Amino acid sequence: MNSDSPARLTDRAAIAVTGEEARDFLQRVVTCPIADISDGEMRAGALLTPQGKIIVDFLIHGRPDGVLIELPAAAADAFAKRLSMYKLRARAEVRVSEDLAIIAGEGTPDPRSAALPKRGIRPRAETAGWRAGDASQAEAEIAAGVPAFARDYGEADVFPTDVNLDLYGGIGWKKGCFVGQEVVSRMKRRGTIRKRTVRLDFEATAPAAGTDVTLGDTALGTITSSAGAHALAILRLDRLDDAREVESGGLKAKVVLPAGV
């Protein structure tokens, strides 16, 4: 962030999932382990289509009476309706919490990168007059190599491994079934994970989203977002080989692979 003071993320919202069976039904639906999440802990996760692509991803905050799911505000209502559909007869309540605000700059370490600001959830009334941190948070995420839903990809556009969700602990490979689990597990078992989101470091201002990334005459992918001298792109790593320098928009860029790749 650009300031030491915490900021409110106005483009994020919270969904409360509470009740004695709240974690049990989520455990069967979303990608990340839920049953053992502790109060105050935060994990990355997603809801997938049956074909294994991301409907929306999120951060889950553990609470004594269930969880709070933090996600893009524009997707909150539709996601809450989907969860209510999956809930069936489970003793749980799903609701968008209009009285809560997502904050960056204090709280729990972000599980996606130690370079990102801590984040938390507070009553909205406590954040009245706080600065909006949406732009500086996006810049921090791009600099850290962390892609974001609605900025770098949309609904049903990508598999979770395309955007490194598995590298953030966002896929519980051993937790049992979840929606789309068969597809993503098969990709892992067969070693067919060919695409990843990487950071591109330029010596000048990075090209805009939508600019092609190439290695010689070989197309690797497209820039999905940029800020300053950094950009994010989903690239075909099997075409990258050992090269660590690519071209985009007539500029050369260094490829920075995500940790764990």
Side-chain angles (χ1 to χ4, degrees):
M1 310 298 284
N2 292 331
S3 171
D4 292 335
S5 63
R8 186 164 56 92
L9 301 182
T10 62
D11 59 354
R12 306 284 287 182
I15 292 174
V17 185
T18 56
E20 58 184 294
E21 295 181 343
R23 296 187 182 191
D24 290 341
F25 104 78
L26 286 174
Q27 178 80 358
R28 300 189 297 270
V29 174
V30 302
T31 61
C32 58
I34 295 295
D36 63 344
I37 190 169
S38 59
D39 182 23
E41 185 181 358
M42 183 165 57
R43 295 178 180 175
L47 176 67
L48 308 183
T49 67
Q51 295 75 35
K53 292 194 172 182
I54 292 177
I55 294 175
V56 67
D57 61 15
F58 41 75
L59 294 170
I60 293 188
H61 301 246
R63 293 294 185 269
D65 59 345
V67 298
L68 290 173
I69 300 178
E70 173 207 328
L71 74 169
D77 288 335
F79 181 65
K81 289 178 181 177
R82 285 183 184 270
L83 285 187
S84 296
M85 179 179 67
Y86 282 121
K87 181 171 69 70
L88 300 175
R89 294 185 176 87
R91 292 187 291 277
E93 179 185 1
V94 179
R95 65 179 180 84
V96 179
S97 298
E98 304 285 355
D99 59 336
L100 296 177
I102 312 303
I103 60 171
E106 69 174 33
T108 304
D110 193 314
R112 300 170 299 172
S113 172
L116 292 177
K118 293 180 178 180
R119 56 204 295 145
I121 300 178
R122 280 195 179 201
R124 185 176 296 274
E126 294 181 4
T127 66
W130 286 26
R131 64 188 178 90
D134 303 0
S136 53
Q137 177 68 25
E139 291 173 1
E141 289 173 353
I142 293 169
V146 175
F149 182 87
R151 185 186 69 219
D152 296 284
Y153 52 95
E155 181 175 334
D157 283 346
V158 297
F159 292 105
T161 50
D162 293 344
V163 292
N164 306 329
L165 185 65
D166 56 323
L167 303 181
Y168 308 144
I171 300 179
W173 299 112
K174 299 179 180 180
K175 82 180 185 76
C177 291
F178 54 84
V179 178
Q181 180 260 351
E182 182 178 351
V183 176
V184 294
S185 293
R186 185 165 61 245
M187 291 173 65
K188 178 179 172 64
R189 290 196 309 270
R190 295 181 177 178
T192 55
I193 301 172
R194 297 187 179 96
K195 294 192 294 183
R196 288 281 185 186
T197 297
V198 305
R199 192 183 80 211
L200 302 180
D201 291 349
F202 294 83
E203 292 185 357
T205 300
T211 307
D212 291 337
V213 180
T214 59
L215 178 63
D217 295 329
T218 302
L220 299 178
T222 305
I223 287 178
T224 57
S225 64
S226 61
H230 304 297
L232 300 183
I234 300 177
L235 300 188
R236 284 285 300 268
L237 297 189
D238 57 329
R239 296 177 181 172
L240 186 61
D241 296 323
D242 294 328
R244 288 296 179 267
E245 190 172 81
V246 297
E247 292 187 1
S248 183
L251 301 173
K252 293 187 180 298
K254 177 184 176 183
V255 177
V256 181
L257 298 177
V261 173

